[in-house]
Amino acid sequence: MTDHPGQDSPGSAAADDLIVPIDFTPAALDKRRFAFRLNPVRIVLGIVLFVFAVAAWFVLTAKSVYFDLRPVGSELSVQSPLAIQIGPRYLLRTGDVEIKVKAEGYYELDTSLNIGPEQAQTFNIELIRLPGFLNLSSGPITQARVVIDGEEVGLTPLSAIELAAGEHHIHVEKERYQAVDTNIDIEGRSLQQTLVVDLLPAWANITVNTSPPGATVSVDGEERGLTPLSTEVLEGKHEILVKLAAHKAWTDVLAVQARQDQTLPPIALIPADGLVLLRSTPSNATVTLNGDYQGQTPLEIAVPPGSQHRLSFFLNGYQEHSQTLRINPDQEASVNVTLKPILSSVQIVAQPADAQLYVNGKLIGNANQTIELLAASQTIEVRREGYVSYQTDFISRPGIEQRLDIELKSLEQQKLESIKPQITNAAGQTLKLLYPTPFTMGASRREAGRQANEVLRDINLSRPFYLSLHEVTNAQFKQFRKEHSSGVLQGRTLDNASQPVVRVSWEDAALFCNWLSIQESLPPFYTVADDKVTGFNPDSSGYRLPTEAEWEWAARVNGSADSLLRFPWGDQLPPPANHGNYADISAASFLGRIIVNYNDSFMGSAPVGSFEANSNGFFDMGGNVAEWTHDFYGASGVVGNQVETNPFGPDDGRYHVVRGSSWAHGTITELRLSYRDYSDEARDDLGFRVARYLEP
């Protein structure tokens, strides 16, 4: 408020003082803003608080780390700006930290450590010692070979050999001295160490005296000098040889210990034997000296000198020869003796008359002569082309008339004599050799029960062949195919070991034959590709199925080709009691046609050979089981009256011929031996037997 002239001053009593407004202008904004001024005290205080906060944060988050240093007193440098040492410990943040450790005489360590999350941690740090230096000598003995830890380092004396701190193996050796092996601990830290190795002699002095003196002494073949002699010999076992002219050599094995000298007992040398070379004509004579066996001429023997000896010579067929012998010491001599033969006359009579005679492999001439033979074992041989040579060891006896009769066998005769009438194959079957004759297969049209496929055929079987006496059994077939089973018939087994194998196809039977051939190293008869029979080799002597013609010849020919059996037992029905295994009353419950009032006691197949063999020695050619043959099935033989020689049947076909009746057959048609059946599949009444040619 402003005082104006003419107005009352404040505090006056005038009630009507007038208040007069005046002009007002607000202050500018920038004049009303707060003005900040830096205060040094506040700055210092702020810095102190910040440092305190950081230090508190570091202390609360850092880890206490202790470094256990070896050797004690090693210098440690931690390469971290945030490392604080408090006494023996450091405060460090987690993570990798670089450190350096060094000490005199040790390799400096510069490495990185990882500080983990644990609050207190200890690191054990051991510095590696610097190498040391070894001075090595072998005393007064120099040039000894030094090997340290398996590595050769040189010859003594050696100085300043640098070696890593720690234990080392030292080997020092020199010829004629005992080797030294020792260990040394190298302190390292660049320190010098000294090792002196004492090498001891590895020999001893050996003294040798002989009577007479002047003998040469050799040790292990090395001459050392003349007796009397003292010589150095290395430790170990050695051969000592003492020799003096005209005397026997003296030898011994001497055991020597190092540094233990020996004087051998005096050696008395014995005058040497003489050497005598003995020869005789003829040679290989037995020699004795004073009755003692020496050997056979030519022979060199040692004979004691100074006395008389008796030499004797002996040889079978020659007279004994004896003589005396005297020899000087170390003399070499020879004795040559011609022995007188002891002869005896022997008459040789040989057939054929033009055979040749050999004695001890030397041709003498015609075999029919009287010869003079030594009274000793002689090899007599008579030869003639086309014949088997005869050879024998013969001893002639003086004063006795002797005669040797020799008849040579022709090759053909020997071959026939060597043929076995029966053989046993690898499966255990017995086969009989047959020499078949020409015959007529089939049956006359007028024969009761004849079928159209039984055409009469003239057959000439010119090749001898073997045929098994029995049908192949289950046991024999399972040697080839273990898993095979012949099955069961009406609750009764057909798979017993001795029963004939059934339920085999023709190809099964053919493959069994090839298996037999392989077992006996025979050429397989059947050609096989991918386990299928694709053909056969008619010149093979391997096992096969019999041809139809061979089967019928073995079954029907009764003594001669003019006598052919109609039935297995003869020409008339019914069969004799218990003749074979046919369809009988025991099988009436499941077979349509049987032989009335006939009982063979077997409802199915019987063990092979249960009934009597036929006139040719074969079993079950009728009855038991029918049999596969080699041939493809064909209705008839050749056209006209031509003779078929060793027929194998048609070249191809679907079916193979089955011959012989079985336990399931009982009609007149089936029981006849000329009955021809065929099949392309296995049956429970169909088996087989095997055959093979005598030769290709």
Side-chain angles (χ1 to χ4, degrees), residues 26-319:
L29 290 175
D30 55 347
K31 293 180 179 180
R32 298 174 60 192
R33 182 179 299 166
F34 173 78
F36 176 78
R37 294 182 182 180
L38 292 175
N39 188 322
V41 175
R42 293 178 178 177
I43 292 174
V44 171
L45 181 59
I47 292 172
V48 170
L49 291 174
F50 176 77
V51 170
F52 180 78
V54 170
W57 168 82
F58 178 77
V59 169
L60 292 174
T61 59
K63 310 302 178 185
S64 175
V65 179
Y66 175 69
F67 295 98
D68 186 5
L69 303 181
R70 295 289 186 276
V72 176
S74 298
E75 295 181 16
L76 172 66
S77 174
V78 180
Q79 308 297 312
S80 174
L82 296 179
I84 299 176
Q85 183 176 5
I86 303 175
R89 306 188 75 86
Y90 286 81
L91 293 178
L92 296 173
R93 293 279 297 158
T94 58
D96 293 335
V97 62
E98 298 288 333
I99 68 167
K100 289 185 179 181
V101 183
K102 61 182 179 179
E104 185 177 357
Y106 292 83
Y107 287 103
E108 182 176 327
L109 177 65
D110 188 348
T111 187
S112 174
L113 298 177
N114 182 263
I115 307 302
E118 297 83 0
Q119 188 62 42
Q121 302 174 44
T122 298
F123 290 92
N124 297 309
I125 298 174
E126 183 172 358
L127 298 182
I128 299 174
R129 287 179 287 172
L130 291 172
F133 297 94
L134 176 66
N135 300 316
L136 192 151
S137 70
S138 52
I141 310 302
T142 61
Q143 299 298 301
R145 178 172 171 263
V146 178
V147 178
I148 300 179
D149 298 331
E151 180 179 352
E152 186 172 347
V153 297
L155 303 177
T156 59
L158 295 170
S159 61
I161 307 170
E162 183 177 318
L163 296 174
E167 189 173 76
H168 296 269
H169 179 74
I170 309 293
H171 174 82
V172 183
E173 63 177 29
K174 185 174 182 178
E175 188 176 0
R176 296 177 51 78
Y177 290 85
Q178 292 180 324
V180 173
D181 285 277
T182 187
N183 292 328
I184 186 169
D185 187 42
I186 299 299
E187 295 182 17
R189 297 183 294 144
S190 300
L191 298 176
Q192 295 273 346
Q193 292 176 249
T194 299
L195 176 65
V196 178
V197 175
D198 292 325
L199 294 178
L200 299 177
W203 69 83
N205 290 309
I206 306 300
T207 301
V208 183
N209 293 286
T210 62
S211 177
T216 301
V217 178
S218 298
V219 178
D220 296 331
E222 176 190 357
E223 289 190 7
R224 296 294 183 90
L226 303 178
T227 58
L229 174 71
S230 180
T231 183
E232 294 178 353
V233 181
L234 292 174
E235 63 183 346
K237 291 186 177 181
H238 301 273
E239 184 179 87
I240 307 295
L241 175 65
V242 180
K243 293 181 67 176
L244 181 63
H247 290 76
K248 291 183 178 180
W250 181 93
T251 184
D252 196 4
V253 175
L254 183 64
V256 177
Q257 294 186 6
R259 302 178 302 284
Q260 293 189 12
D261 297 342
Q262 298 184 51
T263 298
L264 301 183
I267 301 170
L269 298 176
I270 301 171
D273 292 338
L275 292 178
V276 181
L277 178 61
L278 305 175
R279 296 188 181 94
S280 68
T281 304
S283 58
N284 296 320
T286 298
V287 179
T288 62
L289 179 69
N290 301 325
D292 295 329
Y293 174 78
Q294 302 296 312
Q296 292 183 313
T297 59
L299 173 69
E300 187 175 61
I301 62 173
V303 179
S307 60
Q308 192 162 289
H309 304 277
R310 183 175 182 81
L311 272 176
S312 298
F313 298 79
F314 305 90
L315 184 63
N316 284 340
Y318 293 84
Q319 297 179 11

Side-chain angles (χ1 to χ4, degrees), residues 163-479:
L163 296 174
E167 189 173 76
H168 296 269
H169 179 74
I170 309 293
H171 174 82
V172 183
E173 63 177 29
K174 185 174 182 178
E175 188 176 0
R176 296 177 51 78
Y177 290 85
Q178 292 180 324
V180 173
D181 285 277
T182 187
N183 292 328
I184 186 169
D185 187 42
I186 299 299
E187 295 182 17
R189 297 183 294 144
S190 300
L191 298 176
Q192 295 273 346
Q193 292 176 249
T194 299
L195 176 65
V196 178
V197 175
D198 292 325
L199 294 178
L200 299 177
W203 69 83
N205 290 309
I206 306 300
T207 301
V208 183
N209 293 286
T210 62
S211 177
T216 301
V217 178
S218 298
V219 178
D220 296 331
E222 176 190 357
E223 289 190 7
R224 296 294 183 90
L226 303 178
T227 58
L229 174 71
S230 180
T231 183
E232 294 178 353
V233 181
L234 292 174
E235 63 183 346
K237 291 186 177 181
H238 301 273
E239 184 179 87
I240 307 295
L241 175 65
V242 180
K243 293 181 67 176
L244 181 63
H247 290 76
K248 291 183 178 180
W250 181 93
T251 184
D252 196 4
V253 175
L254 183 64
V256 177
Q257 294 186 6
R259 302 178 302 284
Q260 293 189 12
D261 297 342
Q262 298 184 51
T263 298
L264 301 183
I267 301 170
L269 298 176
I270 301 171
D273 292 338
L275 292 178
V276 181
L277 178 61
L278 305 175
R279 296 188 181 94
S280 68
T281 304
S283 58
N284 296 320
T286 298
V287 179
T288 62
L289 179 69
N290 301 325
D292 295 329
Y293 174 78
Q294 302 296 312
Q296 292 183 313
T297 59
L299 173 69
E300 187 175 61
I301 62 173
V303 179
S307 60
Q308 192 162 289
H309 304 277
R310 183 175 182 81
L311 272 176
S312 298
F313 298 79
F314 305 90
L315 184 63
N316 284 340
Y318 293 84
Q319 297 179 11
E320 176 187 346
H321 174 86
S322 297
Q323 67 181 67
T324 58
L325 175 68
R326 186 183 183 92
I327 198 166
N328 295 321
D330 213 24
Q331 178 186 355
E332 293 186 5
S334 63
V335 175
N336 298 299
V337 173
T338 299
L339 301 177
K340 295 180 180 181
I342 303 173
L343 300 177
S344 177
S345 296
V346 178
Q347 182 183 4
I348 308 294
V349 179
Q351 290 293 333
D354 58 349
Q356 299 293 304
L357 175 65
Y358 293 79
V359 177
N360 297 327
K362 181 180 179 181
L363 177 63
I364 303 300
N366 186 277
N368 290 279
Q369 61 173 301
T370 298
I371 58 175
E372 296 289 328
L373 294 180
L374 287 174
S377 178
Q378 309 284 302
T379 300
I380 305 295
E381 186 177 7
V382 177
R383 304 179 191 171
R384 167 70 158 77
E385 187 176 355
Y387 289 80
V388 181
S389 296
Y390 172 87
Q391 180 176 307
T392 186
D393 291 329
F394 183 81
I395 300 178
S396 63
R397 304 187 182 280
I400 301 176
E401 292 185 3
Q402 292 177 284
R403 170 174 167 149
L404 190 59
D405 291 289
I406 300 170
E407 183 175 356
L408 300 182
K409 294 180 180 179
S410 68
L411 294 175
E412 185 65 25
Q413 181 182 2
Q414 187 201 38
K415 181 178 178 181
L416 292 175
E417 291 179 356
S418 66
I419 293 174
K420 298 179 180 179
Q422 284 193 347
I423 60 173
T424 301
N425 64 21
Q429 294 176 290
T430 300
L431 288 82
K432 179 180 179 180
L433 179 60
L434 298 176
Y435 293 91
T437 56
F439 77 112
T440 300
M441 286 180 62
S444 168
R445 293 181 179 179
R446 293 185 295 273
E447 183 175 299
R450 176 188 182 275
Q451 298 183 112
N453 63 1
E454 299 173 25
V455 176
L456 292 173
R457 301 161 57 188
D458 291 328
I459 303 297
N460 178 25
L461 297 176
S462 63
R463 299 176 65 178
F465 67 95
Y466 286 100
L467 183 66
S468 58
L469 300 181
H470 302 93
E471 295 155 336
V472 176
T473 65
N474 286 309
Q476 292 162 352
F477 189 80
K478 287 180 181 180
Q479 295 178 50

